[in-house]
Every structure is written in structure tokens, then in C-alpha cells.
Amino acid sequence: MAEVSPITAGHRVEVTEVGPRDGIQADATFVPTEHKIALINRLTEAGVPRIEATSFVSPRAVPQLADAAEVMKGVKRSKNTVLAALVPNARGAIRAAEAGVDQIVVFMSASESHNLKNVNCTVAESLKAFEEVAKIAHDSGIPVHGAIATSFGCPFEGDVPVAQVARIAKAYQDMGFVGMSFGDTTGMATPPLVKERVLAVRDAAPKLSQVLHFHNTRGIGLANVMAGLSVGVDRYESSIGGTGGCPFVPKATGNICTEDLLYLLHEMGIETGIDLRKLMGMASDMQSVLGRELPGQIMKAGLRLDLHPMESVRTAVG
């Protein structure tokens, strides 16, 4: 069993912002390209070290991200921020490489049924296709990161064997990937499952950096973060305002909220290098762009020591 060293005060955690891709991909209202570019630029300026900027998928499959090349061309690049892009296949990898992304992300599901719904392939077919993606990326000098959706459960099959998640992670390592994300696509993760799967994959694929990607479907997203910290995971993915949700999962809700995650980490004395107040402002602006209230809490409540004048609150009578 891999050695466990918890992440505590004084440690640094890397937070990846997935809002520009995962947060809006299923939104019915098209977000103008200039708004996407502005969001990514503001995230970069706020110190976010890694951003999933877009996805090079078929425009018919995900119309929201049909402007992927335009977005990558328009953003300001920084040596302090990695701009990653999701690709489903070799064609997507070629487009991503031509656009000059810093990192390519591939994705598949641990469960056969969800993989068929999500990408219309079996698990074996997805892994085979990734071999060609890995070659294209390698020839272009671009590192590859692999995501495993339904890592903690499937809405069609129920429990997903931990051995299946570990097997896919080992395949990623064998293909030379630099890291892997546990995708809680269905919001079925619980603290015991988080610990179990992190440790199992750490044993099966020790060369991969591990990232945890939680959804808040059942309200315990940040509790799962605490479980990840307890077993030494120092990389997390989240979405501004708590946007997002998989269109191929019944009753799915958004990702854990980036501002709420940052607040938790900063209050624990864990460093991220990200300006939380800037993120709070961006989340509020995101509500205007999308035309609806977002589930994030800190942008509404403020920080713990944000005080209010007494005269702004009525006094009890009686």
C-alpha cells in the first residue's frame, strides 16, 4: 500500500479551473467567444495555474465549444498558466495541436454503459483510440492527461469496481500520460470511496499525478475534498460559480465551486496562489453572462471576516 501523507497547512494545492469547458459545455445559451476569452484571461491574471480552456469536439456534438480554435487564438498566454483542452479522438488531437494548447486531455468512462452514452465507444475502443492521440501529442511535444469519468459510480450500472478504475489508470501510465483525473461525473463519490480509489490507483500507476474532480450533486463535494487531502492528493478540478454537469447523467448538477473550494483551502492554511476575491467577482459576472443564479456560496456570503455596518441590519423589536 502506498504511503499516505496528508495535505495540511503550509502545503500548496493546484486548482484547475474547468468552467470555460466543463462549466458551460451543456449550456443551452451560446456564450459569445469574446466572453470565453475574457473569462480565461481573467482567470490567468488571478493566478489560476491550470485551466481547461475548451474542447476540440465535433461542433454538432457540443455546439457551445464550436469556437475552440478561435478561443485559443484569442487568449493571452502566460508561462504561469497551463491551458489544457479536451479531445475525444485523433482528429481532435490534431486540431488541438494546431491551436497550440499546452496540454491535451482525453476522457473516457470507467463503466461500459456510460462510455457508450458519453462517447459511443466501449472502454476497450476508447483505450485503443487513445494510443493514436498519444502519438500525435508526443510528436507535437504536448503532454497528455487522462480523465476517468464515473470513477465512483455509474447511474446505469451502480458501483464501478475499483479494479476497473485502476486498470484504466495503469493503461494511461503505460501510454506515457502525465496524470489522471478521477471524474465524479455522477456525484456518487463519498469520502470512503475517495480514499479507496486514490490509494488503489497510487499502487497501480505510481507515476501518474492524481487529480480529483467532484460534482456537488448530493451536497458532499467539499467533504470529498477533505477525504482527498487526508490521503495526500494536492490537485483538484472545480468550476467557477459551481457551473457544469454532464448531459449524459440523469439529474446531474454542477461541479464543486472554485470559490468555495478556495475558501476552504485558504481557511485551512493551504496555499493555492489564486486571488480568491478576483474569482468571487468573476463568479458574480458569470451569473449575468449565463442569465441565471449559480450555486456558489462564497460569492454571495462573502469571506468569514467580511464585516457589515450595524446600521445596515434592522434591530429586533419586542
Side-chain angles (χ1 to χ4, degrees):
M1 183 65 67
E3 183 180 349
V4 175
S5 179
I7 304 298
T8 56
H11 284 82
R12 191 178 185 92
V13 157
E14 179 185 272
V15 174
T16 293
E17 173 58 53
V18 301
R21 195 277 302 174
D22 195 9
I24 64 171
Q25 65 178 358
D27 213 86
T29 302
F30 184 78
V31 177
T33 304
E34 59 267 26
H35 283 300
K36 295 170 183 167
I37 292 171
L39 172 62
I40 294 167
N41 288 343
R42 290 177 70 186
L43 290 165
T44 299
E45 291 165 4
V48 177
R50 183 173 178 264
I51 302 170
E52 269 197 15
T54 189
S55 179
F56 288 86
V57 295
S58 164
R60 292 192 305 274
V62 187
Q64 182 68 258
L65 303 179
D67 56 358
E70 290 79 9
V71 168
M72 289 303 303
K73 183 178 180 180
V75 296
K76 298 175 184 176
R77 308 301 285 265
S78 168
K79 61 183 174 66
N80 298 318
T81 300
V82 171
L83 295 184
L86 208 68
V87 308
N89 49 36
R91 180 179 298 178
I94 292 170
R95 291 176 59 209
E98 290 174 345
V101 303
D102 297 321
Q103 188 180 85
I104 282 174
V105 180
V106 296
F107 61 98
M108 62 177 293
S109 302
S111 75
E112 292 285 355
S113 54
H114 188 267
N115 209 54
L116 286 168
K117 283 288 184 183
N118 201 29
V119 295
N120 200 25
C121 292
T122 66
V123 167
E125 288 169 341
S126 284
L127 287 174
K128 182 65 177 175
F130 291 166
E131 293 177 6
E132 187 175 1
V133 171
K135 183 179 186 307
I136 292 167
H138 177 76
D139 291 346
S140 302
I142 302 172
V144 182
H145 180 94
I148 306 177
T150 63
S151 287
F152 304 98
C154 171
F156 312 114
E157 300 176 19
D159 283 330
V160 172
V162 63
Q164 171 76 341
V165 179
R167 182 178 73 83
I168 295 171
K170 176 64 164 57
Y172 284 175
Q173 179 176 274
D174 291 345
M175 283 186 272
F177 291 8
V178 296
M180 60 81 63
S181 299
F182 294 87
D184 182 26
T185 319
T186 54
M188 293 169 72
T190 64
L193 288 176
V194 172
K195 294 177 183 179
E196 172 199 53
R197 275 142 215 262
V198 165
L199 295 176
V201 168
R202 195 172 288 163
D203 283 337
K207 295 179 183 178
L208 289 179
S209 66
Q210 294 187 0
V211 182
L212 286 167
H213 177 122
F214 296 123
H215 286 229
N216 207 37
T217 309
R218 292 171 174 84
I220 60 170
L222 293 184
N224 290 325
V225 170
M226 293 296 293
L229 293 172
S230 75
V231 287
V233 179
D234 60 359
R235 293 176 173 85
Y236 295 85
E237 295 178 348
S238 56
S239 183
I240 190 165
T243 52
C246 179
F248 306 106
V249 173
K251 301 180 180 179
T253 57
N255 302 277
I256 58 171
C257 173
T258 304
E259 317 88 72
D260 296 356
L261 171 62
L262 292 175
Y263 175 73
L264 171 69
L265 296 173
H266 293 178
E267 284 292 313
M268 293 175 65
I270 295 172
E271 300 173 9
T272 66
I274 301 173
D275 188 322
L276 174 52
R277 289 199 183 275
K278 287 185 178 180
L279 266 289
M280 291 164 64
M282 281 181 253
S284 295
D285 293 344
M286 196 73 173
Q287 293 186 130
S288 299
V289 171
L290 297 178
R292 66 178 189 275
E293 184 177 2
L294 297 178
Q297 296 299 304
I298 294 302
M299 66 172 168
K300 302 166 189 171
L303 303 186
R304 183 173 64 89
L305 295 180
D306 286 349
L307 305 182
H308 305 273
M310 289 184 65
E311 59 269 22
S312 69
V313 179
R314 69 182 181 87
T315 301
V317 178

